[in-house]
Amino acid sequence: MALSSPEATNLNTAKIPENPSSPCSIHLQKLPHLTDYLPNLKPLPNPLENNTLYHPPAGFYIGQSEVVLGKIILDLSADSEAVSSHSPQVAYNRAGPRWQVFFEPKDIKAAIVTCGGLCPGMNTVIRELVVGLWEMYGVRQIYGVTAGYRGFYSRDPIELNPKLVHNWHKLGGTALETSRGGFDLNKIVDAIEHHGFNQVYIIGGDGTMRGAVNIFNEIQRRKLNVAVAGIPKTVDNDIGIIDRSFGFQTAVEMAQQAINAAHIEAESAVNGIGLVKLMGRSTGHIALHATLSSRDVDCCLIPEIDFYLEGEGGLFEFLEKRLKENGHAVLVVAEGAGQDMIPRTEAQKEERDESGNLVFLDFGAWIKSELKNWWTRDHANELFTVKYIDPTYMIRAVPANATDNLYCTLVAYSAIHGVMAGYTGFVPGLINGNYAYIPVEEVAHARNEVNIKDHKWAWVRSVTNQPDFVKP
Ligand SMILES: Nc1ncnc2c1ncn2[C@@H]1O[C@H](COP(=O)(O)OP(=O)(O)O)[C@@H](O)[C@H]1O
Ligand SMILES: O=P(O)(O)OC[C@H]1O[C@](O)(COP(=O)(O)O)[C@@H](O)[C@@H]1O
Ligand SMILES: [Mg+2]
C-alpha cells in the first residue's frame, strides 16, 4: 500500500461523472493537519503494523479519498435547488486508522479533559481514549486534566492507565470532573506547553467546542506540534452536522420513566395532568424523541414552536377537550419552551451561568401554576390535579446504555486514529451513520434545531394530535 500525502486531504472539488441523474459535484471540507503549519514533519508507518496479536487486513486503513457525504437525501429533479444551483455536495473525510502517522508512541504525552454539563457516556469516552491509546498505539503517558478548562492551569494533571479506568464505562458522570467557565486561553495553552502535552482530547458541548477552536488557533499561531481533537457531547443534541451525540439515546430512555410516572399519576386522579420537563435549552430533541417513543404524551412543547395558552386553538382549550375525553392528559415540555411567556425581573433577564449561557426560568413550575389558575377560574367546583415531574439531572447523570457505550468507543477510537494521523482542529462524529472527521470550527457554530417542517415533527403531531397553535 502506498503512503498517501497529507496534501491529498486538501480541499477537493471532484466532479461526479456526467449523468443526467447525478449532476452534482462534491466539495470535501478541508481537514486541518499539523503539516499545514509544520511542513517539515515526517510521516511514519502506523505502529499497528507491528502489533503481534492483530494484523490489519486489507482495507483496514482508510484512504484520503474516502469521504462521507453530509447530505444523503437529494432531490435530483431539474428544478430542485441541488441541481439548479449546481451547489456542490459537502463531504467529510471518513474517520479511521491511516497508514501513516505523525507521532512516535514514545514521544506522545496525551491530555484528556471534560467540560460543560454531564452527559451519559463521558466516562466511557475517557476510558476508551486511555485504553485505545495504550493498547493500539503503545502510548504510556496519558493524563487527565481535572475540573474542565480551568484544570489546565489550576490543578495538577492525573496519570491515567488502563487498570485505573477499567470499569469507568459503568459509571455515570465524569471521573475527571467538569466545570463551566474558567476559559483563559493563554493560561490553557501555556499549560499545554508547560506540561509538554502534544495530543489534547477535549470532551464537551457547543461552548467547549468554541473554546477548542480558540485553543487550536492559538496552538497554530505558536506553531506547536500539538494536535487537538474535540469530542462532541451534548445530552440535548444541540450540536449540528453530527447525527447525534453519545448519551442522547440513554437520556431519551431515562425520560420514559418520568413520562410513565406522570401518566400513572394523571390516570389515577380526577382530571389529572401529568407534566414532565426535559432537558433542551434551545432544542427539543429529547422531548420530541421521548414523546414519539412513549405514546402516552398528549402534548409536546419545544423551544422551536410558538404556542399560546388561552382562547381558541390554545393549550387550555386542547387540554380541556382531552380531560373530557380521557379524564387525564400528559404534557411534556422542553426546558427552553415558552421562555418568552414567563414574566422576568430585570436581573433575571441578564442572569447567565459561568460559561455565559442564559439561565432559564423553570417553565414547568410556571405552567403548572398557570394551569391551576385557569382551572380554578373556569371550573371552580371540579377536581383537578397537576403532578409535575422534573427529572433534569436524572436523565444525564446515569451510565450510558449499550448503544451509547458503543458510540463512545467508536468516537474515541476515531479521535485517536485522526490525531495519530496528524489531523488537528477536528471533531470525530457520526454523519448519516458513518464516522467522519469534521473541522472543529464548523462544529462549534453548527446548531441542531428541530425542523418543525419535516416529517419527524409531523409524526409527533400525529401521535399526540396536539394543535398547531396557529391562531384562527
Ligand atoms: N465562546 C467561547 N469561547 C471560549 N470558551 C468557551 C466559549 N463558550 C464556552 N466556553 C467554555 O467552554 C466550557 C464549557 O462551556 P458550557 O457552555 O458550559 O458547556 P458545553 O460545552 O457543554 O456547551 C466552559 O469552560 C466555558 O468557559
Ligand atoms: O445545572 P448545570 O449543570 O449548569 O446544567 C444545566 C444545563 O445543562 C444541560 O443539561 C446541558 O448543557 P450543556 O450542553 O451546555 O452542557 C442543559 O440542558 C441544562 O440547562
Ligand atoms: Mg452548551
Side-chain angles (χ1 to χ4, degrees):
M1 200 176 299
L3 277 181
S4 45
S5 78
E7 283 78 12
T9 66
N10 284 356
L11 184 146
N12 261 327
T13 303
K15 271 259 178 233
I16 290 179
E18 290 254 336
N19 168 343
S21 62
S22 57
C24 317
S25 59
I26 291 179
H27 171 88
L28 178 60
Q29 293 300 79
K30 160 90 176 84
L31 197 58
H33 195 273
L34 288 170
T35 52
D36 296 344
Y37 62 94
L38 299 172
N40 296 329
L41 289 182
K42 292 284 171 278
L44 307 159
N46 194 316
L48 286 166
E49 284 298 294
N50 307 324
N51 194 313
T52 49
L53 299 172
Y54 178 75
H55 303 99
F60 175 75
Y61 296 111
I62 304 293
Q64 313 290 31
S65 55
E66 292 180 53
V67 301
V68 176
L69 289 180
K71 255 173 130 182
I72 52 171
I73 298 175
L74 296 175
D75 178 358
L76 295 181
S77 60
D79 55 352
S80 75
E81 210 201 310
V83 175
S84 58
S85 67
H86 295 288
S87 49
Q89 295 306 314
V90 173
Y92 301 91
N93 284 99
R94 195 176 158 207
R98 300 303 200 255
W99 163 236
Q100 60 183 17
V101 299
F102 282 79
F103 287 95
E104 185 87 73
K106 67 173 176 40
D107 300 333
I108 295 171
K109 197 169 178 189
I112 304 168
V113 65
T114 51
C115 310
L118 294 187
C119 177
M122 286 166 101
N123 271 326
T124 312
V125 175
I126 303 166
R127 179 198 191 274
E128 295 307 322
L129 285 172
V130 174
V131 174
L133 282 164
W134 189 286
E135 301 292 349
M136 284 193 299
Y137 286 105
V139 181
R140 293 294 177 264
Q141 299 183 85
I142 310 168
Y143 288 85
V145 171
T146 59
Y149 275 136
R150 67 186 73 237
F152 272 105
Y153 55 86
S154 62
R155 292 178 166 212
D156 289 331
I158 57 169
E159 218 171 325
L160 302 173
N161 60 58
K163 255 200 181 130
L164 182 70
V165 303
H166 81 279
N167 68 345
W168 285 14
H169 60 297
K170 296 177 186 160
L171 311 172
T174 161
L176 295 181
E177 300 177 329
T178 184
S179 70
R180 298 194 188 274
F183 186 84
D184 187 321
L185 180 61
N186 280 320
K187 284 190 184 172
I188 291 170
V189 181
D190 287 349
I192 290 172
E193 275 200 86
H194 166 75
H195 289 297
F197 295 136
N198 50 11
Q199 296 191 355
V200 180
Y201 298 89
I202 303 174
I203 305 163
D206 55 333
T208 307
M209 293 305 132
R210 288 191 286 275
V213 170
N214 296 348
I215 294 173
F216 165 58
N217 287 337
E218 180 60 17
I219 282 173
Q220 281 189 103
R221 198 189 63 75
R222 298 191 194 185
K223 294 200 186 306
L224 304 178
N225 186 8
V226 179
V228 179
I231 301 179
K233 83 67 233 170
T234 157
V235 70
D236 55 14
N237 219 19
D238 59 358
I239 293 185
I241 306 174
I242 57 173
D243 296 351
R244 62 174 192 282
S245 158
F246 63 83
F248 174 70
Q249 293 192 333
T250 307
V252 170
E253 217 167 278
M254 288 302 293
Q256 300 301 305
Q257 296 181 16
I259 296 175
N260 279 342
H263 186 221
I264 289 169
E265 289 287 347
E267 259 192 321
S268 310
V270 178
N271 293 321
I273 291 195
L275 169 63
V276 178
K277 184 183 75 173
L278 297 171
M279 277 184 171
R281 264 205 267 246
S282 54
T283 62
H285 295 283
I286 296 181
L288 184 160
H289 282 246
T291 295
L292 282 179
S293 29
S294 147
R295 305 279 163 156
D296 285 335
V297 180
D298 290 273
C299 186
C300 172
L301 300 176
I302 58 173
E304 291 87 344
I305 59 162
D306 288 326
F307 55 90
Y308 56 94
L309 308 183
E310 307 269 358
E312 199 183 331
L315 180 69
F316 293 162
E317 182 197 71
F318 169 73
L319 288 176
E320 181 156 9
K321 230 167 58 203
R322 278 293 153 97
L323 290 179
K324 242 189 212 134
E325 285 163 5
N326 303 333
H328 70 278
V330 175
L331 182 59
V332 166
V333 299
E335 66 178 316
Q339 284 297 313
D340 50 353
M341 291 179 168
I342 315 174
R344 275 186 166 75
T345 62
E346 286 309 307
Q348 283 171 332
K349 281 183 196 159
E350 300 303 319
E351 199 183 345
R352 288 174 184 271
D353 70 14
E354 280 185 282
S355 293
N357 300 303
L358 213 57
V359 172
F360 282 1
L361 297 183
D362 186 346
F363 179 69
W366 181 79
I367 191 79
K368 176 179 173 178
S369 88
E370 291 300 300
L371 284 165
K372 283 190 161 168
N373 293 342
W374 155 65
W375 193 266
T376 322
R377 190 188 66 207
D378 292 4
H379 311 268
N381 298 322
E382 289 177 60
L383 284 174
F384 181 67
T385 303
V386 185
K387 291 288 191 282
Y388 173 35
I389 300 179
D390 177 0
T392 299
Y393 297 111
M394 278 181 58
I395 68 166
R396 68 173 205 189
V398 289
N401 68 12
T403 315
D404 278 331
N405 257 335
L406 185 73
Y407 184 175
C408 293
T409 305
L410 295 177
V411 84
Y413 279 33
S414 298
I416 296 171
H417 290 311
V419 164
M420 287 301 298
Y423 294 124
T424 180
F426 77 97
V427 157
L430 257 189
I431 300 184
N432 298 317
N434 292 285
Y435 289 85
Y437 294 140
I438 313 155
V440 67
E441 173 106 49
E442 207 181 325
V443 173
H445 298 109
R447 309 285 306 152
N448 180 30
E449 284 176 358
V450 171
N451 178 1
I452 55 167
K453 293 191 183 134
D454 81 358
H455 288 174
K456 215 188 261 175
W457 184 247
W459 290 338
V460 171
R461 300 279 321 287
S462 69
V463 164
T464 61
N465 264 319
Q466 67 191 64
D468 54 13
F469 299 108
V470 175
K471 283 206 168 149

